[in-house]
Amino acid sequence: MAILDSILDDLVAANRILAGLNVLDGFGHVSVRHPDRPDRFLLSRSLAPELVTRNDIQTYDLDSNVQDGGTRPSYLERFIHGKIYARRQDIVAVVHSHAATVVPFAASSVSLKPIYHMSSFLRTGAPVFEIREKFGMTDMLVRSNAQGEALAEKLEDQSTVLMRGHGYCTVGGSIPEAVFRAYYALLNADLQHRAITLGGSVTYLSDEEAVKYDETNRSVIERPWALWKQKFASKAQP
Amino acid sequence: MAILDSILDDLVAANRILAGLNVLDGFGHVSVRHPDRPDRFLLSRSLAPELVTRNDIQTYDLDSNVQDGGTRPSYLERFIHGKIYARRQDIVAVVHSHAATVVPFAASSVSLKPIYHMSSFLRTGAPVFEIREKFGMTDMLVRSNAQGEALAEKLEDQSTVLMRGHGYCTVGGSIPEAVFRAYYALLNADLQHRAITLGGSVTYLSDEEAVKYDETNRSVIERPWALWKQKFASKAQP
Amino acid sequence: MAILDSILDDLVAANRILAGLNVLDGFGHVSVRHPDRPDRFLLSRSLAPELVTRNDIQTYDLDSNVQDGGTRPSYLERFIHGKIYARRQDIVAVVHSHAATVVPFAASSVSLKPIYHMSSFLRTGAPVFEIREKFGMTDMLVRSNAQGEALAEKLEDQSTVLMRGHGYCTVGGSIPEAVFRAYYALLNADLQHRAITLGGSVTYLSDEEAVKYDETNRSVIERPWALWKQKFASKAQP
Amino acid sequence: MAILDSILDDLVAANRILAGLNVLDGFGHVSVRHPDRPDRFLLSRSLAPELVTRNDIQTYDLDSNVQDGGTRPSYLERFIHGKIYARRQDIVAVVHSHAATVVPFAASSVSLKPIYHMSSFLRTGAPVFEIREKFGMTDMLVRSNAQGEALAEKLEDQSTVLMRGHGYCTVGGSIPEAVFRAYYALLNADLQHRAITLGGSVTYLSDEEAVKYDETNRSVIERPWALWKQKFASKAQP
């Protein structure tokens, strides 16, 4: 129970932090796998992340059915979370965002690649999910388990998947890691755009460099997380 | 009376929200059609949107004459609103803005097109109103009913019209929808600029995708609106 | 005395406003011609604009000698102000800034031109002062009356002059007008950069359109000025 | 003791200021040489700069061993500081940052060069440290004395060194000077990017102009420093 308590605190904090860092605005969401039940995940009811409190968190199964008789509206795209948790046993947290700097890479033939160590989780380039491939002309949302599965397949064993005409998702082995990746994907997109438009040649991290730093990062991730909690989430609990 | 009351509250909130979202600065304005009189609209007297209170709202007919003997100065460009309401019976709210990221598309031969679902209301590209076509060399403002009519004609059945050397207007079936469109037009312009300057090929939303999401959006628009009211307009009423 | 009082209030407000609008940071300055003595101008002692109070304002003659036995350090570049007032009898206020978006145009062969009505004061393109032309290799500052005169000559009858490798100056017939121009020069530079990098053709304001709006602007400039005073300068007086 | 006291105050202020100016986020650090012991330097324990207080400052020797039996975790990259102080007797303060606008130049074949006087310390172009040259595939961090030495060698007698795929360091003869340079390197990178992407020819400061202003700057650096302390560090001391 103490663990669940602390996870719920972190999930509420993550909502506030992602809003404070401009990763999420009125849309987008962040979830965490249930610490006691790997076949369940925790996610707010349909609400702007900046307004989320513990009272808004609901429990879902991996088909994204709300549990415990919840009747409040759910996010239309909860299937993103359910199907990523179903396919990736290693994943503990998922962020879905429309952050401004990343969307252009989701619409462009140019790949999002790590320009510095902070975004080493992008490895050799984030894959792009084109919903038209399997589902034709849609409203662009991932609103079914079939669509969630197709997205999770595209993610494969990576940490980030872009969604054409829509946004992106990052995943992590903890809430801080998924939040960190969502934020530094946003920064990397801005930095890479700047580097490309300078017109010279650009050196990206090699896969080996990326893998090595991604490992190092786990030992220092507590540092920005502590800062973000203090800046954005100290008033988070109702 | 209760409906008018709530509409006035929302109109004051819209002024504060649009300033808070950097859609409006010292200039620009937002109006709403009168809920009881389709041949009237409500608009602040000439005042920076961030400072507008209920006491500043005036009633205008569709030729943009102030009603009820009002003597305080009106916005020079109130004709934008009157003539859009006159031509488009489906429209309930209008925003006119000079937001920074959109103006470049109004001056460029490159079309503003939807790069993600949030800006699906742009459909296959926003039309550009060139005031020189009918009015020659002017001070660029829409300061007569004839100019307002020409702008409304250019808008046609779209939701957004760009104004060369000036700015843009968005319209909606409600105040939240017009505000939403004004804000996401601004974001889309930034995102599209980024995508184009990356130098690869860019995939925009198809018309079918755009139409479908624009429909979906009506079911979720209350979510950002609730956030924006709490963030920017909770101190709005005097 | 009442007029001088109000002018001093506005000068302090202008310092706060220009800092609030990111036109000035720790450097740059704003001055006003003395209302009773056209051969004198008012300018803060050497101090970051955001910190200026009435007590910091000093009086200078047009050779930029401090009057009344003032012994506190003056801005190194006060000669900019003195020589513009000396050459341009029509000018009441001067802003000197290093604002980020404008400096690139001062270093580039591409001209800063008005992309929308708000920056119509740029007319057909702002002239660039190249200090090397007359003074060779310097520390880039305008630190003598000779350099101030050369800058004022380059300004000619325009409202804005860029300074290569340095920044820019705007002038106006009132404090609000010079501040307005300093701010919208900054915005225009960002918007024009966006328009150019989109890669299509760009339509700028014609000289006739620019002249007409610049005239119109005098009737509405009180609107943003009232907003800026309330937002940035309501705590300005000590 | 009074000098050490004032240096410690300034070091804490520098941490807060660099966070406030967006030069540092959860990562990066700033150090100062010990005023009494040139073979020692002062640096916070591993902590986000915005949270640093005097109690977090530790003393290190030039091999970056913590002194006085400190047991709290140190920054992984403290070797940057130690080896720069060892090699450059003239240096009193060092900043290490990942600031967004600079990283693209560290990854690009295009040199970071001074586009205006404020960044004259960049001289004729900042050198780039490519860690692969001597150390092959790493996690990109400078985590040993050998790597710190190689970085200090690349810095040579300059004030700024870029680090490929990572960030940059600035050094100065005082804390305010190193902070000033870290901030204006960030601004210069944005301005230079804008100038280059305008597509015309760009004139940079000549070496003579740069040297001259860098000298002048020492006489005015107290002005932004006073502003920054008041804005960002007035609550710095615990």
Side-chain angles (χ1 to χ4, degrees):
Chain A
M1 185 61 170
I3 284 171
L4 178 58
D5 226 47
S6 147
I7 291 284
L8 284 167
D9 270 9
D10 272 5
L11 183 58
V12 172
N15 274 278
R16 307 296 178 102
I17 288 166
L18 289 163
L21 294 172
N22 291 315
V23 176
L24 303 181
D25 58 6
F27 297 99
H29 17 85
V30 51
S31 70
V32 65
R33 195 189 291 270
H34 195 291
D36 306 324
R37 297 262 330 239
D39 59 340
R40 295 285 183 273
F41 68 94
L42 305 166
L43 176 69
S44 169
R45 68 180 175 101
S46 176
L47 188 67
E50 197 165 341
L51 304 180
V52 167
T53 65
R54 271 180 73 157
N55 190 41
D56 301 305
I57 307 295
Q58 300 186 312
T59 304
Y60 294 86
D61 68 19
L62 300 192
D63 283 335
S64 296
N65 300 306
V66 70
Q67 305 298 298
D68 312 317
T71 56
R72 297 177 299 181
S74 290
Y75 291 123
L76 295 177
E77 299 195 291
R78 59 195 178 278
F79 307 97
I80 291 173
H81 302 265
K83 287 306 163 189
I84 288 176
Y85 291 120
R87 192 183 167 90
R88 291 279 298 276
Q89 301 305 315
D90 59 317
I91 292 309
V92 172
V94 175
V95 175
H96 168 59
S97 161
H98 311 149
T101 59
V102 179
V103 170
F105 283 90
S108 168
S109 57
V110 176
S111 281
L112 186 70
K113 294 195 285 191
I115 198 167
Y116 69 158
H117 60 315
M118 306 309 287
S119 41
S120 59
F121 57 88
L122 294 173
R123 303 283 298 274
T124 48
V128 180
F129 174 67
E130 168 53 275
I131 197 167
R132 281 183 200 164
E133 272 174 25
K134 286 199 182 166
F135 303 96
M137 293 297 146
T138 66
D139 70 357
M140 305 303 294
L141 300 188
V142 174
R143 33 194 323 159
S144 71
N145 280 311
Q147 291 170 340
E149 257 165 27
L151 177 70
E153 259 171 50
K154 180 60 78 175
L155 171 65
E156 228 189 338
D157 64 344
Q158 304 278 328
S159 65
T160 306
V161 60
L162 308 189
M163 303 158 80
R164 197 270 310 162
H166 185 158
Y168 67 110
C169 299
T170 57
V171 299
S174 67
I175 291 177
E177 193 173 58
V179 168
F180 178 97
R181 287 170 172 176
Y183 178 57
Y184 282 101
L186 175 162
L187 280 183
N188 190 85
D190 184 37
L191 274 55
Q192 188 182 347
H193 174 263
R194 286 174 178 270
I196 288 171
T197 51
L198 280 175
S201 63
V202 181
T203 304
Y204 296 97
L205 259 58
S206 72
D207 194 44
E208 198 177 341
E209 289 170 333
V211 169
K212 284 186 172 171
Y213 182 77
D214 201 36
E215 183 60 33
T216 293
N217 196 49
R218 283 187 196 107
S219 74
V220 294
I221 200 170
E222 199 41 49
R223 202 192 312 162
W225 182 251
L227 174 67
W228 293 335
K229 277 185 97 160
Q230 177 156 332
K231 278 178 80 120
F232 301 117
S234 56
K235 304 163 301 187
Q237 302 314 322
Chain B
M1 185 60 170
I3 285 172
L4 178 59
D5 227 48
S6 148
I7 291 284
L8 284 167
D9 269 10
D10 273 5
L11 182 58
V12 172
N15 274 277
R16 306 296 178 103
I17 288 167
L18 289 164
L21 294 172
N22 290 315
V23 177
L24 303 182
D25 59 5
F27 297 100
H29 16 86
V30 50
S31 70
V32 64
R33 196 189 291 269
H34 196 292
D36 305 324
R37 297 263 329 237
D39 59 340
R40 295 285 183 274
F41 69 94
L42 305 166
L43 177 69
S44 169
R45 67 179 176 101
S46 176
L47 188 67
E50 198 164 341
L51 305 179
V52 167
T53 65
R54 270 180 74 157
N55 190 41
D56 300 305
I57 307 295
Q58 300 186 312
T59 305
Y60 293 85
D61 68 18
L62 299 192
D63 283 335
S64 295
N65 300 306
V66 70
Q67 304 298 298
D68 312 317
T71 57
R72 297 177 298 181
S74 290
Y75 291 123
L76 295 176
E77 299 195 289
R78 59 195 178 278
F79 306 97
I80 291 172
H81 302 265
K83 286 306 163 189
I84 288 176
Y85 291 120
R87 192 184 167 90
R88 291 277 299 274
Q89 300 306 316
D90 59 316
I91 292 309
V92 172
V94 175
V95 175
H96 169 59
S97 161
H98 310 149
T101 58
V102 180
V103 170
F105 283 90
S108 168
S109 57
V110 176
S111 281
L112 186 69
K113 294 195 285 190
I115 198 168
Y116 70 158
H117 60 315
M118 306 308 288
S119 42
S120 59
F121 57 87
L122 293 173
R123 303 283 298 273
T124 49
V128 181
F129 174 67
E130 168 53 274
I131 197 167
R132 280 183 199 164
E133 271 174 27
K134 287 199 181 164
F135 303 97
M137 293 297 145
T138 65
D139 70 356
M140 305 304 295
L141 301 188
V142 173
R143 29 194 326 157
S144 71
N145 280 310
Q147 290 171 340
E149 256 166 28
L151 177 68
E153 259 171 50
K154 180 60 78 175
L155 171 64
E156 229 189 337
D157 64 344
Q158 304 278 328
S159 66
T160 305
V161 60
L162 308 188
M163 303 157 80
R164 198 269 310 161
H166 184 158
Y168 68 109
C169 299
T170 57
V171 298
S174 66
I175 290 177
E177 193 173 58
V179 167
F180 178 96
R181 287 169 172 177
Y183 178 57
Y184 282 101
L186 175 162
L187 280 183
N188 189 85
D190 185 36
L191 273 55
Q192 189 182 347
H193 174 263
R194 286 174 178 270
I196 288 172
T197 51
L198 280 175
S201 64
V202 181
T203 305
Y204 295 97
L205 259 57
S206 72
D207 194 44
E208 197 178 341
E209 289 169 333
V211 169
K212 283 185 172 171
Y213 183 77
D214 202 37
E215 183 61 31
T216 293
N217 196 49
R218 284 189 195 105
S219 74
V220 294
I221 200 169
E222 197 44 46
R223 201 191 316 161
W225 183 250
L227 174 68
W228 292 336
K229 278 186 95 161
Q230 177 156 331
K231 277 179 82 117
F232 301 117
S234 56
K235 303 164 300 189
Q237 301 314 323
Chain C
M1 186 58 170
I3 286 172
L4 178 58
D5 226 49
S6 147
I7 291 285
L8 284 166
D9 270 10
D10 272 5
L11 183 58
V12 172
N15 274 278
R16 307 296 178 101
I17 288 166
L18 288 163
L21 294 171
N22 292 315
V23 177
L24 304 181
D25 58 6
F27 297 100
H29 15 87
V30 51
S31 69
V32 64
R33 196 189 290 269
H34 195 291
D36 305 324
R37 297 261 331 236
D39 59 340
R40 295 286 183 274
F41 69 94
L42 305 166
L43 177 69
S44 169
R45 67 181 176 101
S46 177
L47 189 67
E50 198 165 340
L51 306 179
V52 167
T53 64
R54 270 180 75 157
N55 190 41
D56 301 306
I57 307 295
Q58 301 186 312
T59 304
Y60 294 86
D61 68 18
L62 299 192
D63 282 335
S64 295
N65 300 304
V66 70
Q67 305 298 298
D68 312 317
T71 57
R72 298 178 297 182
S74 290
Y75 292 123
L76 295 177
E77 299 195 289
R78 57 196 179 278
F79 307 97
I80 291 171
H81 302 264
K83 287 306 164 189
I84 288 175
Y85 292 120
R87 193 183 166 90
R88 291 278 298 275
Q89 300 306 313
D90 58 317
I91 292 308
V92 172
V94 175
V95 175
H96 169 60
S97 161
H98 310 151
T101 58
V102 179
V103 170
F105 283 90
S108 168
S109 58
V110 176
S111 283
L112 186 69
K113 294 195 284 189
I115 199 169
Y116 70 158
H117 60 314
M118 305 308 288
S119 41
S120 58
F121 57 87
L122 294 173
R123 302 283 299 273
T124 49
V128 180
F129 175 67
E130 167 54 273
I131 197 168
R132 282 183 199 163
E133 271 175 27
K134 287 198 182 167
F135 304 97
M137 293 297 146
T138 66
D139 70 357
M140 306 304 293
L141 300 188
V142 173
R143 31 194 324 159
S144 71
N145 280 311
Q147 290 171 340
E149 256 165 27
L151 177 68
E153 258 171 50
K154 180 60 79 176
L155 172 65
E156 228 190 337
D157 65 344
Q158 304 278 328
S159 65
T160 306
V161 60
L162 307 188
M163 303 158 79
R164 197 273 307 162
H166 185 158
Y168 68 109
C169 299
T170 57
V171 299
S174 67
I175 291 177
E177 193 173 57
V179 168
F180 178 97
R181 286 168 172 177
Y183 178 57
Y184 282 100
L186 175 163
L187 280 184
N188 190 84
D190 184 37
L191 273 56
Q192 188 182 347
H193 174 263
R194 286 174 179 270
I196 288 172
T197 51
L198 280 176
S201 64
V202 181
T203 305
Y204 296 96
L205 258 58
S206 72
D207 194 44
E208 198 178 341
E209 288 169 334
V211 169
K212 283 185 173 172
Y213 183 78
D214 202 37
E215 183 60 32
T216 293
N217 196 48
R218 284 187 195 107
S219 74
V220 294
I221 200 169
E222 198 43 47
R223 202 193 314 163
W225 182 251
L227 174 67
W228 293 336
K229 279 185 95 161
Q230 177 156 332
K231 277 179 81 118
F232 302 117
S234 57
K235 305 163 299 188
Q237 301 312 324
Chain D
M1 186 58 169
I3 285 171
L4 178 58
D5 226 48
S6 148
I7 291 284
L8 284 166
D9 270 10
D10 272 5
L11 183 57
V12 172
N15 274 278
R16 307 296 178 102
I17 288 167
L18 289 164
L21 293 171
N22 292 314
V23 177
L24 304 181
D25 58 6
F27 297 100
H29 16 86
V30 50
S31 70
V32 65
R33 196 189 290 270
H34 195 291
D36 306 323
R37 297 263 328 240
D39 60 340
R40 294 286 182 274
F41 68 95
L42 306 166
L43 176 70
S44 170
R45 68 180 175 101
S46 176
L47 188 67
E50 197 164 341
L51 305 179
V52 167
T53 64
R54 272 180 73 157
N55 190 42
D56 301 305
I57 307 293
Q58 300 186 313
T59 304
Y60 294 86
D61 68 18
L62 299 192
D63 283 335
S64 296
N65 300 306
V66 70
Q67 305 298 297
D68 312 317
T71 57
R72 296 176 300 181
S74 290
Y75 291 123
L76 295 177
E77 299 195 291
R78 58 196 179 277
F79 307 98
I80 291 172
H81 302 265
K83 287 306 164 189
I84 288 175
Y85 291 121
R87 191 183 168 91
R88 290 279 299 275
Q89 301 305 315
D90 59 316
I91 291 308
V92 173
V94 175
V95 175
H96 169 58
S97 161
H98 311 149
T101 58
V102 180
V103 170
F105 283 91
S108 168
S109 57
V110 176
S111 283
L112 186 68
K113 294 195 284 189
I115 198 168
Y116 69 158
H117 61 313
M118 305 309 288
S119 41
S120 58
F121 57 87
L122 294 172
R123 302 282 299 273
T124 49
V128 180
F129 174 67
E130 168 53 275
I131 197 167
R132 282 183 199 165
E133 271 174 26
K134 287 200 180 164
F135 304 96
M137 293 297 146
T138 66
D139 70 357
M140 306 304 294
L141 300 188
V142 173
R143 30 194 326 159
S144 71
N145 280 311
Q147 290 171 339
E149 257 165 26
L151 177 68
E153 258 171 51
K154 180 59 79 175
L155 171 65
E156 228 190 337
D157 64 344
Q158 304 278 328
S159 66
T160 306
V161 61
L162 307 188
M163 303 158 81
R164 197 271 309 161
H166 184 159
Y168 68 109
C169 299
T170 57
V171 299
S174 67
I175 291 177
E177 193 173 59
V179 168
F180 178 96
R181 287 169 172 175
Y183 177 57
Y184 282 100
L186 175 163
L187 280 184
N188 190 84
D190 184 37
L191 274 54
Q192 188 182 347
H193 173 264
R194 286 173 179 271
I196 287 171
T197 50
L198 280 176
S201 64
V202 181
T203 304
Y204 295 98
L205 257 57
S206 71
D207 194 44
E208 198 177 341
E209 288 169 333
V211 169
K212 283 185 172 172
Y213 183 78
D214 201 37
E215 184 61 32
T216 293
N217 196 48
R218 285 189 194 106
S219 73
V220 294
I221 200 170
E222 198 42 48
R223 201 192 314 162
W225 182 251
L227 174 67
W228 293 335
K229 278 185 95 159
Q230 178 156 332
K231 277 178 80 119
F232 301 117
S234 57
K235 305 162 300 188
Q237 302 314 323

